């Protein structure tokens, strides 16, 4: 559904759209290590629906010029017949299967309508109808297969093997699926944890952003819990397996996403909800128009002509197009602004939301820690640049995200970093290095600052931590030189987006995050959010969404990570931030913000509402045309050419009306109304 330069969006049976998506994601996610293995992808032509649709399209394109140029009838007739057979095979077969279950499938009706059109000489129209439906079915099958591939690919986050420690002290490599509760495993630096476990020995910083969404690695020591699929830092850990691998947090995320996706799968456009009854009624009415006059003595030819005319003018084509052009135009317009809605169903549903839940890290924030405060202490002899250069020199050899933030801040200021020797790192504490002959320590204030620490240090550290920042102390030869404040920077448009969503839904968005309570509440206060749910695991986020849905709310979830996927799948609508979003979040979400512009979210909600208003207008126009033409055919004698012209005319009118949302002016007007 995304990637490359063109997006194929299968919005609903029988319709599809191709639109430019030049700004789509072309590089792997940044801000963290990628999954160990890429998600598996189902080849398009491996799907039978795709092979039949391709054959039908090729045959149609071969037949079209021969037919239009008055070529041999036997040639274009044979090619069109082959088009009908290849394109109508899959939908016809599925329609017959549904008929056995006493369900009248629209695909079967369209095949019958195509054959009926051919029977009265409209062979080109019938062939085009067949090709459209076959292509749409292939795209739907491809979208379903791709989502399944992505869910299966999530399992690759957990390593295939683990190092199990035996009672005699020896090691053995085992498949993680063979681990049992109580096994002791060794997790070396840089390895992924093989199962949900408890730390028995050792200390390290573990990157568990895939599970909790926390932007920074978490210090782990004896007694702490670690999750399968999370990445160990620089220390070695000896851990005891606490859950069977099949019941790990990662495995449960997979199950939740699959279950939620299955629940949302039957969702249809409004017009499809009445399609079954309308189709049955149209078939019964067509048979009556054909059978009753024939029974009272009318001729077969005139009766068949009237019935086929009725079938054409009563066909729901204009009604279907009443829905599609506005929604597809909105999709294309949003795509030009870097928001990819995966289907017309998605575009319709986005305008229905009345409650918004936002993730914190990578959604409201940029997802990358940055130095936001530099506090040299009085008497240290250092200014801000001097303190930052000293810390950056010591941190330069480290691979820790906090170290990278300090070094990057020094580079942005153009500071010279002296060479260091004797570098060492202690997980959970910090680093030690020799800089210009001085011993420099950079790390956690709680570990480095002792009881002899003077009041100014404590005051600065408390102030930084109370404001949701991570405090980093800098010591030279045992003396505190100053304190750095590091935080995940808020997106520039976060506050405006929250205000716009509040205006649209009548309720302030909710913050759902796996981060700690203090950091979450500080950030929420900056953007105007009052309802904060912090310290949540993926299942907790999904449970909160389900509770709101049970109360009757239509929830929009906005997130970016693996830990957001269950909530994205459970919600009425889900939007993923595309720049740093995980593959699973991007596949699970209904729409993707590929340029990471948070302010586009209220804009697309408003755009969806505008499309819905045009749909209602179009339904009124289409309904009027159908009513007039059907009444004319039943009461009087409607000439077939006039019936076709009226039917096609109504289709053109509603189509052009819906295309109004393609205009450049549509998006700026919506943005202005929601900002």
């Amino acid at each position: 559904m995304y990637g490359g330069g063109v997006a194929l969006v299968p919005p609903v049976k029988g319709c599809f759209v191709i639109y430019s998506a030049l700004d789509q994601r072309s590089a792997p996610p940044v801000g963290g290590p990628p999954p160990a293995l890429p998600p598996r992808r189902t080849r398009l032509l491996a799907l039978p629906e795709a092979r039949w649709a391709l054959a039908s399209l090729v045959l149609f394109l071969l037949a079209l010029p021969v037919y239009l140029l008055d070529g041999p009838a036997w040639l274009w007739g044979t090619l069109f017949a082959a088009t009908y057979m290849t394109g109508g095979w899959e939908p016809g077969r599925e329609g017959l299967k549904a008929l056995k279950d006493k369900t009248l499938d629209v695909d079967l009706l369209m095949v019958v309508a195509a054959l009926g059109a051919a029977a009265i000489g409209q062979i080109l129209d019938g062939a085009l109808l067949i090709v459209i439906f076959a292509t749409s079915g292939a795209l739907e099958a491809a979208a379903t297969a791709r989502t399944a591939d992505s869910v299966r690919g999530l399992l690759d986050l957990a390593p295939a093997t683990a190092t199990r420690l035996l009672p005699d002290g020896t090691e053995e490599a085992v498949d993680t699926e063979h681990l049992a509760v109580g096994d002791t495993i060794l997790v070396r630096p840089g390895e992924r944890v093989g199962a949900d476990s408890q730390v028995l020995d050792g200390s390290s910083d573990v990157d568990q952003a895939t599970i909790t969404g926390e932007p920074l690695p978490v210090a782990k020591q004896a007694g702490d819990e670690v999750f399968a699929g999370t990445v160990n830092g620089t220390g070695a850990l000896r851990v005891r397996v606490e859950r069977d691998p099949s019941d790990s947090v990662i495995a449960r995320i997979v199950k939740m996403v699959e279950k939620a996706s299955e629940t949302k799968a039957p969702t249809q456009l409004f017009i499809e909800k009445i399609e079954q009854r309308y189709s049955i009624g149209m078939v019964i009415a067509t048979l009556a128009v054909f059978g009753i006059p024939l029974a009272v003595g009318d001729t077969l030819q005139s009766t068949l002509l009237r019935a086929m005319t009725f079938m054409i003018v009563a066909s729901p084509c204009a009604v279907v197009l009443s829905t599609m052009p506005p929604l597809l135009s909105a999709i294309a317009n949003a795509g030009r602004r870097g928001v990819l809605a995966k289907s017309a169903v998605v575009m319709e549903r986005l305008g229905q939301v009345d409650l918004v839940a936002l993730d914190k890290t990578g959604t409201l924030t940029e997802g990358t820690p940055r130095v936001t405060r530099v506090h040299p202490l009085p008497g240290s002899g250092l200014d801000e640049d001097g303190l930052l250069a000293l810390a950056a020199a010591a941190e330069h050899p480290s691979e820790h995200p906090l170290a990278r933030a300090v070094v990057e801040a020094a580079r942005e200021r153009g500071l010279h970093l002296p060479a260091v020797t004797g570098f060492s790192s202690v997980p959970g504490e910090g680093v030690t290095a020799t800089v210009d002959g001085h011993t420099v320590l950079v790390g956690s204030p709680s570990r480095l600052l002792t009881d002899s620490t003077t009041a100014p240090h404590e005051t600065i550290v408390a102030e930084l931590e109370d404001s949701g920042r991570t405090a980093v102390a800098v010591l030279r030869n045992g003396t505190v030189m100053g304190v750095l404040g590091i935080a995940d920077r808020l997106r520039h448009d976060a506050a405006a987006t929250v205000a716009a969503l509040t205006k649209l839904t009548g309720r302030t968005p909710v913050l759902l995050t796996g981060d700690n309570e203090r950091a979450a509440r500080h950030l929420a206060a900056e953007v105007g959010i009052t309802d904060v749910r912090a310290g949540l695991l993926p299942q907790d986020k999904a449970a909160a969404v389900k509770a709101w849905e049970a109360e009757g709310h239509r929830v929009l979830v906005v997130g970016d990570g693996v830990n957001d996927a269950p909530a994205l799948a459970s919600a009425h609508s889900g939007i993923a931030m595309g720049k740093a979003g995980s593959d699973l979040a991007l596949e699970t979400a209904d729409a993707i913000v590929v340029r990471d512009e948070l302010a586009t979210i209220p804009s697309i909600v408003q755009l969806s509402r505008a499309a819905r208003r045009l749909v209602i207008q179009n339904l009124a126009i289409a309904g009027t045309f159908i009513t007039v033409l059907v009444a004319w055919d039943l009461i009087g004698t409607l000439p077939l050419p006039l019936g076709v012209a009226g039917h096609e005319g109504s289709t053109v009118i509603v189509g052009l009306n819906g295309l109004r949302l393609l205009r450049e002016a549509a998006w700026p007007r919506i943005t202005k109304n929601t900002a």
Side-chain angles (χ1 to χ4, degrees), residues 462-536:
E463 178 188 343
L464 290 173
E465 292 181 344
D466 288 343
S467 64
R469 295 176 173 86
T470 298
V472 177
V474 183
L475 286 74
R476 184 173 63 186
N477 298 329
T479 301
V480 181
M481 296 288 102
V483 183
L484 307 179
I486 299 179
D488 186 6
R489 191 160 63 184
L490 193 68
R491 292 185 188 273
H492 69 90
D493 52 359
T497 298
V498 170
L501 290 172
T502 301
K503 182 178 180 181
L504 281 172
T505 63
R507 173 173 174 166
T508 304
V510 181
L511 181 63
L512 297 181
T513 178
D515 210 348
N516 66 79
E517 182 87 12
R518 184 167 53 186
R521 290 202 173 277
H522 176 78
L523 180 136
E526 287 190 65
V527 298
I529 293 178
T530 56
D531 191 348
V532 178
R533 317 287 175 92
L536 302 182

Side-chain angles (χ1 to χ4, degrees), residues 201-407:
D201 184 48
S203 62
S204 186
D205 294 318
V206 177
D207 182 354
Q208 53 188 37
T210 54
I211 303 298
T212 65
E214 293 171 286
L216 300 174
V218 179
K220 298 290 184 179
Q221 56 188 1
D224 291 336
E225 184 180 21
V226 290
F227 301 107
T230 56
V231 182
N232 187 24
T234 57
L237 297 175
R238 189 166 59 89
V239 303
R240 181 179 61 239
V241 177
E242 296 292 321
R243 295 191 190 94
D244 187 273
S246 64
D247 192 40
S248 68
V249 172
I250 283 288
R252 279 182 281 168
I253 290 176
V254 172
K255 294 174 184 176
M256 285 188 289
V257 172
E258 288 178 333
K259 183 176 180 180
S261 297
E262 290 172 359
T263 302
K264 291 177 70 174
T267 302
Q268 295 175 300
L269 290 171
F270 166 76
I271 193 60
E272 287 187 300
K273 295 177 182 178
I274 62 173
E275 182 181 70
Q276 180 70 201
R277 295 178 181 177
Y278 186 91
S279 299
I280 294 174
M282 189 181 73
V283 170
I284 294 174
T286 301
L287 293 175
V289 171
F290 174 71
I292 294 176
L294 191 63
V296 297
D298 206 346
T299 64
L300 176 62
Q301 182 175 0
S302 62
T303 302
L304 180 60
L305 183 60
R306 181 187 293 269
M308 293 309 303
T309 302
F310 175 86
M311 188 174 185
I312 290 173
V313 299
S315 172
C317 293
V319 177
V320 171
L321 282 177
S322 298
T323 304
M324 300 314 302
L327 296 175
L328 299 184
S329 297
I331 288 174
N333 200 335
R336 292 199 299 267
R337 271 77 185 178
V339 184
L340 303 185
K342 294 184 178 179
S343 72
V345 173
V346 169
M347 182 55 70
E348 182 191 45
R349 289 165 65 88
L350 282 170
Q352 300 170 358
V353 300
D354 58 13
L355 189 155
V356 180
L358 300 170
D359 174 48
K360 173 182 170 287
T361 306
T363 301
L364 286 175
T365 68
E366 295 177 350
T368 303
R370 296 177 182 272
V371 175
T372 58
R373 303 283 291 275
V374 181
H375 284 281
L377 293 179
S380 65
L382 298 175
D383 57 10
E384 288 191 6
D385 286 352
L387 178 64
L388 185 59
L390 183 67
E395 293 275 27
H396 189 268
S398 175
E399 296 182 353
H400 194 282
L402 288 181
R404 292 198 295 268
V406 173
V407 174

